Amino acid sequence: MATERPTGDLGGLVKLSPLCSVIRAVTSGWPDLTQRPEAVVIATSGGSDSVGLALAVARLRLASGPKPVVVAHYNHRWRGAQSDADADWVSQFASKMGVEFELGTTESIDKASEENARKQRYHFLKQVARRYGSRYVATAHTRDDVVETVLMRLLRGTGMRGLSGIPARRQFTSDITLVRPLLEVDKATIEAALRDTGQVWRTDSTNESGKFTRNWLRNVLLPQLRDRLPHDVDAAILGLSMQATQWSDWHTSLARELAERHVTLKVSDQGKLAQIDTARLLAEKIAGAAIPNILLGEVACAIWERAEWPLQAMGQTHWRHVAKALRATEMPAFELPGAIRVWRDAGNCLLAGP
């Protein structure tokens, strides 16, 4: 059952030291927050992280003159009455702060697909941003989320891009940026700030369920690793992620340049077709050496990004299969997640999808 934490007054938040660290992180990760006159959208589940972010953003925006803030909540209806209670709570929370509130609700409940749920939620956030003319949508991912994400991807099997963790910013659409200003703040700091102000938050009962892999990793595996190992496990994972980010950024930049030169993307009513001139692509040299398969995989990622095909379901096995197709002269056609078809034709590798 969803529960609440101790309640109290919302006033004077900026003066309290625990919240100051949250506010400093927001201003550091989002330096133009107080300068932009248009509305900003805060994705708010009602949990401690998103409540802390919404409070910090609202106070910063008010302190620099009245600038609109929109608290946006999406109800997936997975927990029935509990989900509805969360939505009502977030609505009241927004009202108490004197900010706008937007609610999105799914038409059909699909508990089996977290990826579909994420798509629904992000589609809703884009709609809200466009309705208010917002350039920014903010989510409350924290340092803890980065650690969990990197470890989960490592255990499932990932490449350098996956080890990079969660980016602080990415383009949501051509005119909307998704920002994550709390990536260097841990959950304990946010909850300490909320407790110090007496502010309530909601707790999702499913966060304790052991049937979800991420919950097991958060509640069982990570605590055991922290107790067992003498060094700071979180810092070690984050250090690896930081190095992976630098390598991945370099590889991604190279791959995008190669894709621009050797890939033609055509769009029609039937879908999108990517044609790769593999002879010219493979003739490229990187520091005098032939293109390695890992970079061919990054070229494929660049194609997926340009075509806006789903990346979530693609694993290292899939990317290696694409790299193999780019090197082959002949190869049977095959299909990848997201209904992406791959085949060879007249010296080219072709990819077609929705």
Side-chain angles (χ1 to χ4, degrees):
M1 181 171 131
T3 57
E4 294 186 358
R5 303 302 183 189
T7 186
D9 186 10
L10 299 181
L13 295 180
V14 176
K15 298 178 182 178
L16 297 171
S17 58
L19 192 64
C20 280
S21 60
V22 178
I23 289 176
R24 279 195 299 271
V26 172
T27 54
S28 174
W30 197 353
D32 55 345
L33 168 65
T34 56
Q35 279 74 48
R36 304 300 310 181
E38 66 271 7
V40 296
V41 178
I42 312 299
T44 310
S45 66
S48 58
D49 301 339
S50 62
V51 167
L53 176 62
L55 283 173
V57 169
R59 291 299 173 184
L60 282 165
R61 298 280 283 179
L62 289 171
S64 60
K67 296 184 179 71
V69 175
V70 183
V71 164
H73 177 84
Y74 193 80
N75 183 359
H76 291 288
R77 298 167 56 207
W78 282 359
R79 293 173 292 115
Q82 292 179 32
S83 296
D84 294 339
D86 286 347
D88 290 341
W89 186 92
V90 177
S91 173
Q92 294 172 24
F93 168 67
S95 178
K96 287 177 183 177
M97 287 198 301
V99 302
E100 300 289 338
F101 173 71
E102 290 287 335
L103 173 65
T105 306
T106 185
E107 294 296 324
S108 59
I109 304 174
D110 180 9
K111 293 185 178 180
S113 175
E114 290 187 16
E115 172 63 13
N116 284 343
R118 188 186 69 86
K119 288 179 180 177
Q120 291 172 351
R121 186 167 61 252
Y122 278 17
H123 177 68
F124 160 69
L125 291 170
K126 290 174 186 176
Q127 287 182 317
V128 173
R130 290 192 178 106
R131 188 154 55 244
Y132 283 86
S134 305
R135 287 187 55 187
Y136 292 107
V137 171
T139 64
H141 292 86
T142 66
R143 186 177 188 267
D144 302 68
D145 292 312
V146 178
V147 171
E148 293 167 12
T149 298
V150 172
L151 184 55
M152 177 173 279
R153 289 176 182 172
L154 179 64
L155 295 175
R156 284 179 173 174
T158 190
M160 298 299 284
R161 183 185 287 243
L163 289 178
S164 298
I166 304 172
R169 289 187 174 219
R170 75 172 177 87
Q171 281 305 120
F172 218 13
T173 67
S174 60
D175 56 347
I176 303 170
T177 302
L178 183 68
V179 295
R180 301 180 177 104
L182 297 183
L183 291 180
E184 295 187 7
V185 182
D186 58 34
K187 182 182 286 287
T189 298
I190 296 171
E191 292 187 352
L194 295 178
R195 287 193 183 96
D196 210 46
T197 64
Q199 173 58 43
V200 301
W201 70 85
R202 301 283 288 179
T203 299
D204 187 338
S205 59
T206 61
N207 287 343
E208 303 303 318
S209 172
K211 71 177 183 179
F212 297 110
T213 302
R214 193 177 190 104
N215 289 349
W216 168 81
L217 187 147
R218 177 190 303 126
N219 300 326
V220 180
L221 180 59
L222 269 170
Q224 289 183 1
L225 289 174
R226 289 164 182 149
D227 289 342
R228 179 82 176 181
L229 300 176
H231 58 273
D232 187 336
V233 170
D234 292 47
I237 294 172
L238 291 168
L240 172 65
S241 179
M242 186 178 299
Q243 292 182 53
T245 298
Q246 294 172 4
W247 277 102
S248 180
D249 287 349
W250 179 58
H251 282 161
T252 299
S253 177
L254 279 175
R256 286 173 178 165
E257 290 177 11
L258 292 169
E260 282 291 328
R261 289 202 292 271
H262 306 303
V263 179
T264 303
L265 183 64
K266 300 175 182 177
V267 181
S268 69
D269 293 338
Q270 286 72 43
K272 296 170 184 175
L273 176 69
Q275 179 177 312
I276 305 119
D277 186 336
T278 53
R280 290 177 57 199
L281 173 61
L282 296 174
E284 292 271 6
K285 300 292 183 183
I286 306 298
I291 296 178
N293 278 354
I294 189 172
L295 188 52
L296 288 180
E298 288 295 331
V299 172
C301 281
I303 295 170
W304 255 249
E305 289 174 343
R306 282 176 60 187
E308 297 183 327
W309 290 331
L311 282 163
Q312 292 291 109
M314 291 288 290
Q316 285 305 296
T317 301
H318 298 121
W319 295 126
R320 284 195 292 268
H321 209 28
V322 176
K324 184 178 178 181
L326 292 175
R327 288 201 185 278
T329 53
E330 292 183 10
M331 190 174 190
F334 59 91
E335 187 167 304
L336 293 167
I340 312 301
R341 291 183 298 110
V342 184
W343 72 98
R344 297 285 315 194
D345 180 57
N348 295 313
C349 184
L350 298 142
L351 301 93

